Amino acid sequence: MKKVVTFGEILARLTPPGFKKMSQTNQLEIYYGGTETNVSVSLSILGCNALHVSRVSDDFLGKAAICNLKSNGIDTSFVQKGEEPLGLYFAEPGAVVRSGVIAYNRNHSAFRALKPNSIPWASIFKDAHWFHWTGITPAHCENNFLALKEALMVAQEIGVTVSCDPAYRAGLWQYGRKAEEALKELVALSDVFIGGTEQFNELLGADFSLSDEDFKEGSKALIAQFPRLKKVYDKTRTAKNASWHKIEARMWNGKDMFCCEPIEITHIVDRIGTGDAFAAGAIFGELHNFSEKDSVAFANAACAIKHTIEGDANLADFNEINQIAEGNTFGRLIR
């Protein structure tokens, strides 16, 4: 089993059942997730040895979050506990022409109180093959930025492969450090980049479009700026409305670009966590030495099937994802 380490906040998501608006419900369903957590859950279900590093509230809600991760096979040995509350967010689902809406309550969460020097990264990375981070973690506060940078320095020293999803969120960077400068420091310590031309433009101050040609040129410029990067993965999304999306993926390996057939999702069940499913699919393909073509198709299929699964994380196993990657998108009943 390949060992993968992730680091990020565990969140509780509260959402109305079905497609109700908040104003018409007196019930909320709870799911546990968070960008990096979702990647870890997906990789665990795919058969990896997944370890997640975080900090949660020392109460029944934090305990429930840890139990949820454990139920999905995650090693939670390095999840700390603190007196601060667990981060929350509220999600009102969209449907057809009505957009979904999200509101966060995480400004004073247990994860933000995490101390950088409290994490034994050398022990955590023992026998690890991969480390994944996103731009959401360093956006919270200085302590989270420093903890992540420390993790990347140790991973580099030990020789652990690092993937990054910069995931720029302008509303989060409020503590004084400039997002562009911080992300550049962290991307420079990474091997695989998961993001497209929008992220290129933020990091490089460029103006690349969504076209395949600009993705290729942007990938070249990104690798020139950050020479440790070896591969760039990206997915593009075309939305007809909140319930009907078309997704397709592409990858640049430093010499060639690889694409896959687009997949249409005509009845979206849950939009949240689909990018995390894509990242997990790409990481799984890399860990298991898939060909570039197969790795891109698998990542795109993982993203696609997550749209059909309630909750934050992709709970589909290898066979479910792989049949979609191979073109079986009919969804016929399996007996």
Side-chain angles (χ1 to χ4, degrees):
M1 295 174 66
K2 303 286 187 178
K3 179 178 176 180
V4 181
V5 177
T6 53
F7 172 52
E9 184 168 26
I10 303 170
L11 294 169
R13 165 187 162 193
L14 300 171
T15 192
F19 289 92
K20 289 184 178 179
K21 290 178 64 63
M22 283 289 187
S23 59
Q24 68 178 136
T25 186
N26 57 7
Q27 294 180 323
L28 293 175
E29 296 176 334
I30 186 167
Y31 300 98
Y32 295 97
T35 300
E36 302 84 0
T37 310
N38 298 339
V39 173
S40 192
V41 169
S42 181
L43 287 168
S44 175
I45 290 171
L46 285 169
C48 294
N49 176 11
L51 184 154
H52 187 64
V53 182
S54 192
R55 190 171 188 269
V56 300
S57 55
D58 190 10
D59 58 17
F60 66 89
L61 197 58
K63 182 179 179 181
I66 290 175
C67 286
N68 179 266
L69 265 65
K70 285 183 175 180
S71 71
N72 285 301
I74 308 297
D75 183 346
T76 61
S77 302
F78 296 94
V79 175
Q80 302 176 11
K81 297 179 181 178
E83 60 184 14
E84 302 81 8
L86 188 74
L88 305 175
Y89 78 100
F90 299 84
E92 185 180 273
V96 196
V97 296
R98 175 166 60 89
S99 298
V101 184
I102 290 177
Y104 290 99
N105 186 350
R106 65 199 298 185
N107 286 343
H108 305 286
S109 68
F111 184 73
R112 294 196 181 196
L114 182 148
K115 298 294 187 294
N117 57 5
S118 68
I119 305 173
W121 289 113
S123 298
I124 289 168
F125 286 132
K126 183 180 179 182
D127 299 324
H129 299 83
W130 201 280
F131 176 58
H132 179 69
W133 66 272
T134 81
I136 293 175
T137 293
H140 293 314
C141 62
E142 184 71 8
N143 277 352
N144 289 171
F145 169 81
L146 293 175
L148 176 56
K149 186 173 181 180
E150 182 183 350
L152 292 171
M153 297 294 288
V154 176
Q156 183 181 50
E157 182 179 333
I158 294 176
V160 177
T161 301
V162 175
S163 59
C164 66
D165 173 2
Y168 175 67
R169 301 287 189 273
L172 288 177
W173 292 87
Q174 301 295 324
Y175 62 95
R177 190 177 285 273
K178 292 184 178 180
E180 180 185 335
E181 295 175 1
L183 290 172
K184 281 182 177 179
E185 283 188 54
L186 304 174
V187 171
L189 296 169
S190 305
D191 303 287
V192 177
F193 188 94
I194 302 174
T197 53
E198 183 178 344
Q199 287 72 41
F200 301 168
N201 293 339
E202 290 157 0
L203 288 170
L204 304 175
D207 190 27
F208 293 108
S209 72
L210 293 174
S211 71
D212 285 346
E213 185 61 29
D214 269 17
F215 170 72
K216 182 168 66 174
E217 293 305 314
S219 296
K220 290 178 181 178
L222 189 74
I223 292 174
Q225 176 78 20
F226 306 103
R228 181 171 163 176
L229 291 176
K230 301 298 185 293
K231 294 184 178 180
V232 181
Y233 280 85
D234 178 37
K235 66 169 174 56
T236 59
R237 180 185 299 273
T238 305
K240 184 174 293 187
N241 55 47
S243 302
W244 187 320
H245 291 186
K246 181 177 73 173
I247 59 168
E248 49 193 309
R250 52 196 179 181
M251 186 263 278
W252 175 256
N253 68 357
K255 297 184 297 182
D256 301 299
M257 185 172 74
F258 297 86
C259 302
C260 66
E261 290 296 318
I263 300 174
E264 285 198 44
I265 305 100
T266 58
H267 299 78
I268 293 175
V269 173
D270 199 324
R271 164 77 172 78
I272 293 173
T274 55
D276 308 328
F278 177 81
I283 292 168
F284 186 82
E286 289 292 326
L287 280 170
H288 293 83
N289 299 313
F290 285 14
S291 70
E292 281 91 347
K293 182 179 179 181
D294 288 345
S295 188
V296 170
F298 190 84
N300 199 49
C303 176
I305 200 170
K306 171 58 191 77
H307 289 77
T308 72
I309 297 172
E310 290 186 349
D312 287 40
N314 185 13
L315 305 180
D317 62 24
F318 174 80
N319 289 332
E320 291 174 303
I321 297 171
N322 197 51
Q323 71 169 351
I324 296 172
E326 292 178 345
N328 182 358
T329 59
F330 302 108
R332 293 193 178 99
L333 183 64
I334 299 173
R335 297 182 185 274

